[in-house]
Amino acid sequence: GENVEQHPSTLSVQEGDSAVIKCTYSDSASNYFPWYKQELGKRPQLIIDIRSNVGEKKDQRIAVTLNKTAKHFSLHITETQPEDSAVYFCAASWAGGYQKVTFGTGTKLQVIP
Amino acid sequence: NAGVTQTPKFQVLKTGQSMTLQCAQDMNHEYMSWYRQDPGMGLRLIHYSVGAGITDQGEVPNGYNVSRSTTEDFPLRLLSAAPSQTSVYFCASSLDRGVGYTFGSGTRLTVV
């Protein structure tokens, strides 16, 4: 089955700096890669996703890049703000299958004011 | 439109007891899943369903049963609770494959 590794497990940045979280996946058939943000005590919420026919996607301060050959994808947050502090999860699935989504172990991002 | 509703929010069980975690969605989503969240281990898939009457096992199915008699409901049953099942449980649904999940608010379960 699919295995998703996520690094780093914790990340501290100064407000205004950029943050990068990296994930690798094992199943070359995976073609859908969502990212979720989970604030303390809350449910995970989808913040951005990318499909394998696209190399990069941006939404305001958030961007995701995908390298299919290397089987890794990354989340980039620019101009970080204190409200970006949360746990971020990457995930991978095969959109042609049964929506069996495998998650990474999470990155706790702390933005220091 | 309530989204994904989970009940109860908190539960304490004694070892060996059984219970059902409820999950309902009102978005007409075909795909529903149950995950457990443990510190440092992310979200692990327990069971999932691709429509009424169709379920399958995920990564950590032992000790849990599911059924999907309607599109709206996807209950998770703990057959004989064990301390290792202490966790936060999330139900999630999506409209289609290759589309992001909507999560419920979670159930925090403690087995003593």
Side-chain angles (χ1 to χ4, degrees):
Chain A
E2 176 65 276
N3 182 51
V4 177
E5 295 189 357
Q6 182 171 349
H7 300 281
S9 56
T10 60
L11 179 60
S12 291
V13 300
Q14 292 292 134
E15 181 178 357
D17 287 351
S18 295
V20 180
I21 302 170
K22 298 182 178 182
C23 290
T24 60
Y25 61 99
S26 61
D27 189 346
S28 56
S30 290
N31 58 2
Y32 175 64
F33 307 93
W35 286 87
Y36 292 84
K37 175 184 180 182
Q38 186 179 29
E39 297 176 350
L40 188 62
K42 301 284 183 66
R43 73 192 78 188
Q45 292 195 299
L46 179 71
I47 56 171
I48 195 168
D49 56 14
I50 191 167
R51 289 171 176 77
S52 59
N53 58 347
V54 175
E56 182 175 1
K57 184 177 179 180
K58 291 185 71 173
D59 182 2
Q60 298 183 329
R61 296 186 297 107
I62 292 174
V64 58
T65 59
L66 171 65
N67 183 325
K68 284 178 56 180
T69 302
K71 289 192 279 190
H72 66 70
F73 56 113
S74 300
L75 179 71
H76 304 253
I77 306 174
T78 59
E79 301 172 17
T80 54
Q81 301 168 2
E83 52 264 39
D84 294 330
S85 295
V87 178
Y88 292 81
F89 291 97
C90 62
S93 71
W94 175 44
Y98 290 114
Q99 189 71 333
K100 196 171 179 180
V101 180
T102 301
F103 284 81
T105 51
T107 296
K108 184 176 182 180
L109 173 64
Q110 181 185 17
V111 180
I112 304 166
Chain B
N1 190 333
V4 179
T5 302
Q6 285 185 242
T7 56
K9 292 191 182 303
F10 302 94
Q11 183 70 48
V12 178
L13 286 180
K14 293 182 178 179
T15 298
Q17 287 184 318
S18 62
M19 78 160 295
T20 299
L21 307 185
Q22 301 292 345
C23 176
Q25 52 88 11
D26 61 357
M27 299 173 285
N28 203 31
H29 285 178
E30 289 293 330
Y31 296 84
M32 298 187 73
S33 299
W34 276 101
Y35 285 86
R36 60 177 289 173
Q37 184 173 31
D38 302 292
M41 302 188 75
L43 293 148
R44 292 183 293 167
L45 182 64
I46 305 171
H47 286 284
Y48 64 102
S49 170
V50 301
I54 306 170
T55 64
D56 204 350
Q57 295 181 353
E59 182 185 357
V60 288
N62 292 341
Y64 308 95
N65 272 356
V66 292
S67 60
R68 184 99 179 268
S69 56
T70 67
T71 299
E72 294 77 20
D73 299 299
F74 190 42
L76 177 72
R77 280 182 289 277
L78 280 70
L79 308 175
S80 177
S84 60
Q85 294 179 303
T86 293
S87 188
V88 179
Y89 291 85
F90 285 101
C91 178
S93 72
S94 65
L95 182 62
D96 203 348
R97 298 169 293 186
V99 175
Y101 278 134
T102 298
F103 280 86
S105 58
T107 295
R108 185 174 294 275
L109 175 69
T110 302
V111 182
V112 298

